[in-house]
């Protein structure tokens, strides 16, 4: 799985970091960021829920081919 965060769309609500704290964090400006080494979701079952929880749809998940 590949996780992409649209930095232009992110409003810093923090729902992703609350839902999947093992994958998402917030940067110094309060916007969503991936934890180092977690760019593939690290098998966390809450990644999909975190993407759904984003109020502005800034998180896109795609399956690796």
């Amino acid at each position: 799985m590949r996780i992409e965060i649209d930095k232009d769309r992110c409003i810093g609500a923090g729902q992703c970091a609350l839902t999947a704290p093992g994958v998402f964090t917030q940067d110094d400006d309060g916007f969503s960021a991936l934890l180092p080494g977690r760019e593939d979701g690290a098998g966390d079952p809450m990644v999909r829920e975190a993407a759904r929880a984003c109020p502005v749809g800034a998180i896109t998940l795609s399956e690796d081919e």
Side-chain angles (χ1 to χ4, degrees):
M1 174 185 310
R2 185 172 64 204
I3 304 167
E4 294 183 34
I5 302 169
D6 184 337
K7 298 289 187 178
D8 292 328
R9 183 176 276 191
C10 180
I11 61 171
Q15 294 303 307
C16 57
L18 291 171
T19 305
V23 176
F24 296 95
T25 189
Q26 289 179 286
D27 64 18
D28 292 339
D29 295 320
F31 296 106
S32 181
L34 293 168
L35 289 169
R38 305 293 189 191
E39 294 82 5
D40 63 355
D44 189 321
M46 294 303 290
V47 169
R48 291 187 192 286
E49 183 57 34
R52 281 191 288 271
C54 180
V56 294
I59 301 169
T60 304
L61 306 178
S62 58
E63 297 300 324
D64 290 334
E65 295 179 16

